[in-house]
Amino acid sequence: MHEIGVREVVHFAGLTFNWETLCMTWLTMAIVILISWLATRNLKMIPTGWQNVVEILVSWLDTQVSSMMGKRGLFLAPFIMSLFMFLLTSNWLGLIPTLSSPTNDLNTTLGLALLVVVLIHVLGVHMKGGHYIAHFFKPTPVFVIINAIEEIAKPITLSFRLFGNILAGEILIIILLKLMPIWMPIPSVIWLAFSIFVGGVQAFIFTMLSMAYLANAVKEDEEES
C-alpha cells in the first residue's frame, strides 16, 4: 500500500520538487485545455456535446461573477472559469486508479490560495488606491491588527480546507479497496460516488470564496453598501 505522506521528489538547482504533483498538475492543465479545445473547435448556434457542457458552466459562472462582483468584476470571469475547471479536474483526477489529485498536496492548494490573495490586494490597490488601504484601519486604527489576522487566515483556510477534504477522500478510497473483497464492491462504489460529489463541492466552495474575497477589491463602494 502506498505510504501516506511519502512523495517522490527531485532536486534541481538546490530546490526540491514533488515530481508526482508536477506531473499531475501538467496533466490537469492538459485536460482543461483539451476540453476547452473540444468545446470551441466547432461552435454551433445550438450547442451540443462539450460545447453544451462548457457553455452551461460559463453562463452559470458569468451570472455568479456579475451578481457578486458587479460590472467592474466581469473582466475576472475568464480567471474564475479557469480556476473552477482546474480545481474540478484536479479533485477528480485522483479518483482514477494509479493517478493522484494535485490538490492532495498542500503546496498546490496553498499556491492557489496565495495567488488569489495576492490578486485581491493588487486589484484593490489598483482600482481603489488609498481607499482600499484605508479600509484596513476602519472603524478605528486598532482594527488593523484584526484585519491583518483575517488576511493571513484567508490563504490558510482556503488551502487547508481543500487539501484536507481531497486527501481524506483518496485515503479512504484506498483503504476501502484494500479491505473490501472483490465480490463486495458496493461500499467502494458508494464512497467513490460520494468523493465525486465532494470534489465538485470543494471546487465550488474554493471558487465562490475566491469570488467573495475578490469582490471586496473590485466592487464600487456604492455597490458594496
Side-chain angles (χ1 to χ4, degrees):
M1 186 173 179
H2 184 71
E3 293 184 66
I4 298 171
V6 177
R7 302 177 183 276
E8 180 184 355
V9 298
V10 294
H11 301 278
F12 178 76
L15 301 174
T16 301
F17 299 90
N18 184 341
W19 182 247
E20 182 182 46
T21 300
L22 287 174
C23 291
M24 292 301 103
T25 300
W26 280 98
L27 178 59
T28 300
M29 291 189 292
I31 293 172
V32 172
I33 292 172
L34 177 61
I35 293 174
S36 302
W37 177 75
L38 290 173
T40 57
R41 63 173 179 162
N42 188 21
L43 295 175
K44 301 176 182 177
M45 290 297 296
I46 302 177
T48 58
W50 284 110
Q51 181 185 345
N52 196 32
V53 174
V54 173
E55 282 197 11
I56 291 173
L57 280 175
V58 170
S59 178
W60 170 67
L61 284 172
D62 272 345
T63 302
Q64 297 299 319
V65 170
S66 179
S67 62
M68 294 181 68
M69 299 187 189
K71 294 181 179 179
R72 294 182 69 186
L74 288 177
F75 75 97
L76 287 169
F79 170 75
I80 296 298
M81 181 67 188
S82 300
L83 178 65
F84 180 76
M85 289 187 65
F86 177 84
L87 288 171
L88 192 63
T89 306
S90 296
N91 294 348
W92 287 349
L93 198 62
L95 304 179
I96 302 174
T98 73
L99 300 181
S100 65
S101 300
T103 44
N104 76 4
D105 187 340
L106 185 58
N107 294 296
T108 301
T109 58
L110 185 57
L112 290 171
L114 287 174
L115 169 64
V116 171
V117 170
V118 170
L119 185 60
I120 291 168
H121 297 307
V122 170
L123 288 175
V125 173
H126 174 70
M127 302 184 76
K128 294 187 176 181
H131 293 289
Y132 179 77
I133 298 174
H135 94 276
F136 289 103
F137 297 87
K138 295 179 179 180
T140 63
V142 177
F143 272 73
V144 68
I145 300 174
I146 299 175
N147 290 327
I149 294 174
E150 181 183 359
E151 293 305 312
I152 294 172
K154 283 179 182 178
I156 296 175
T157 55
L158 275 176
S159 59
F160 274 90
R161 182 189 295 107
L162 180 58
F163 160 72
N165 279 281
I166 300 305
L167 181 62
E170 292 188 7
I171 291 173
L172 284 174
I173 286 177
I174 293 173
I175 293 173
L176 284 172
L177 289 174
K178 291 292 182 179
L179 295 178
M180 293 295 108
I182 193 171
W183 47 268
M184 191 180 174
I186 295 178
S188 298
V189 172
I190 292 175
W191 185 256
L192 179 63
F194 180 70
S195 295
I196 293 173
F197 171 75
V198 169
V201 169
Q202 289 304 314
F204 171 80
I205 292 174
F206 192 103
T207 305
M208 291 298 106
L209 286 175
S210 299
M211 289 171 59
Y213 296 151
L214 286 165
N216 293 328
V218 300
K219 285 183 72 174
E220 294 279 8
D221 295 334
E222 296 79 14
E223 292 179 304
E224 291 176 357
S225 58

